[in-house]
Amino acid sequence: SFLNNKTFSMVKSKNTLSVASFDDITIVGLCTHLPDYQVAWYLNKQIGCNFLKYDDIMSEQGEEYSFYLSNDESDYNTFNLVALSNIETRWVVFSPPTDYLLIIRNYFDNEKFAHLVERLRAVPDIIAVYQIDLSRNKLLNSILEDIEMHEMWVLSKDMGE
């Protein structure tokens, strides 16, 4: 599970909890003017996912952003599609401009990733596709934590119904 990919350690001198980087996670930035439902539809069609729309995710500032989830049980991968902007604001600003994060959890080999990028670049109106380096984008850690918590809430809500 996504939660098992984090390790927690106590820093004795400061007595604070620190969270290690996320392991076994691949993040793809997508730049497009397409609305979220069209991006999800194209991803379902092009890469064989089954993205379903769930309740929007809320940032720490109280803004809501589109959230989609797809589980690939054959490869044990979980995919999230998260919008980084809404009508009013952006959750985070990247360079190059990034409108959506495609988050892939669990092992995803290089050949499979290259094929995924090739298929994503074939989608009409997706302007840019690139891998985001977590080690160079530390601000993503808190967003990934928010996404993890939201996914756990969504899944627990689904199981309760």
Side-chain angles (χ1 to χ4, degrees):
S1 94
F2 193 26
L3 194 57
N4 292 335
N5 289 335
K6 292 194 298 184
T7 57
F8 297 91
S9 62
M10 187 64 74
V11 179
K12 292 180 184 176
S13 62
K14 294 182 181 179
N15 202 24
T16 60
L17 186 66
S18 65
V19 179
S21 294
F22 293 88
D23 295 331
D24 280 344
I25 189 167
T26 303
I27 303 176
V28 180
L30 303 174
C31 178
T32 180
H33 67 277
L34 293 172
D36 58 279
Y37 65 90
Q38 284 186 322
V39 174
W41 184 84
Y42 277 119
L43 294 181
N44 288 342
K45 183 178 172 186
Q46 288 289 88
I47 63 175
C49 284
N50 185 29
F51 278 106
L52 299 174
K53 174 111 169 88
Y54 287 90
D55 292 342
D56 289 349
I57 187 169
M58 190 175 296
S59 70
E60 291 177 3
Q61 294 75 28
E63 298 290 336
E64 293 185 355
Y65 301 91
S66 295
F67 178 83
Y68 292 78
L69 176 66
S70 175
N71 284 313
D72 182 357
E73 294 177 7
S74 65
D75 286 339
Y76 304 104
N77 291 114
T78 300
F79 298 83
N80 295 124
L81 176 65
V82 181
L84 291 180
S85 62
N86 59 29
I87 294 172
E88 298 172 11
T89 189
R90 286 190 146 312
W91 193 351
V92 66
V93 177
F94 286 107
S95 180
T98 306
D99 299 298
Y100 297 92
L101 295 179
L102 176 62
I103 301 165
I104 307 162
R105 286 194 301 273
N106 299 324
Y107 180 71
F108 209 71
D109 68 41
N110 291 337
E111 183 179 323
K112 207 170 164 182
F113 181 75
H115 180 70
L116 171 83
V117 169
E118 179 183 316
R119 300 294 296 161
L120 290 171
R121 288 185 174 147
V123 173
D125 298 318
I126 289 187
I127 299 161
V129 176
Y130 67 97
Q131 185 171 4
I132 296 176
D133 184 355
L134 264 174
S135 66
R136 299 180 76 194
N137 291 286
K138 295 295 184 190
L139 62 114
L140 265 179
N141 282 341
S142 67
I143 290 174
L144 290 174
E145 289 172 12
D146 291 346
I147 291 168
E148 172 189 357
M149 295 305 292
H150 185 70
E151 181 179 329
M152 289 172 38
W153 175 78
V154 161
L155 293 175
S156 68
K157 184 177 160 187
D158 269 6
M159 293 173 78
E161 292 178 355

